Amino acid sequence: MALKIDPTVVQMFAENVRAQVLSRPSGLKLDPAIVQKIAERVPVFGGMSHDCLLQTLGSADHHPIKAGEPVFKEGDMGSAFYVVIAGEVTVLKQRNGEYVVLAHLGIGECFGEMALVRDDVRTATVLAVRDSVTMRFERDRIDANPESAHIIYRNIARILSGRLRKSSVMLADLVVQGKSTGGSTPV
């Protein structure tokens, strides 16, 4: 179940982010109520203090994506993770020349977080389903703030653990399905 953020909050947040990006030296000026909603509804920021969250949001880049455009492609080098603040993206994995949809992600959900924990290529392609806005958080900026970094890394571990749990259930279902149809075990 995807978390939903009030569209008014998204619009106000996007406008504030745009203003912040244009005037980064003066700092991020977000309404405290918006910051509170982000803290409550965007799992990767869960448990952050108000000041820490403000500083973290201020380190992000505003990243608009047109419908159908990739945020990044499988095989690209990555050093940032993203949080969807408006719109929707699809995560795709190429197998045998075809793209397989792994997930649809909406407001408040993150992707690309494996780039924070390992220096490697992107393992999937992420495309905007419709015009979308994300915030891009570069590893160097996250790591520069130890208070924020430890919270983000802990929350990402929780998110990845949840995804692994889902994948394990799906894999087990495929194994059972393969046995019941006389197919071979995929393990």
Side-chain angles (χ1 to χ4, degrees), residues 80-142:
F81 81 97
Y82 299 75
V83 175
V84 179
I85 60 170
E88 180 183 2
V89 299
T90 299
V91 182
L92 306 165
K93 180 81 175 163
Q94 193 168 24
R95 280 290 179 249
N96 300 325
E98 293 184 37
Y99 283 99
V100 177
V101 175
L102 299 180
H104 293 285
L105 304 174
I107 295 168
E109 294 182 287
C110 67
F111 60 92
E113 61 283 329
M114 289 180 0
L116 291 185
V117 295
R118 58 185 289 191
D119 287 320
D120 205 351
V121 296
R122 299 287 187 181
T123 60
T125 296
V126 178
L127 292 175
V129 173
R130 58 180 187 258
D131 288 354
S132 300
V133 179
T134 65
M135 296 202 64
R136 180 178 47 223
F137 295 86
E138 291 288 337
R139 180 186 325 133
D140 293 345
R141 292 182 192 168
I142 295 298

Side-chain angles (χ1 to χ4, degrees), residues 48-77:
M48 276 191 188
S49 69
H50 177 80
D51 290 341
C52 181
L53 182 56
L54 278 176
Q55 187 175 9
T56 302
L57 294 175
S59 73
D61 294 319
H62 174 255
H63 188 67
I65 311 118
K66 295 283 185 195
E69 289 183 0
V71 179
F72 54 75
K73 295 180 181 178
E74 186 172 350
D76 290 350
M77 284 302 294

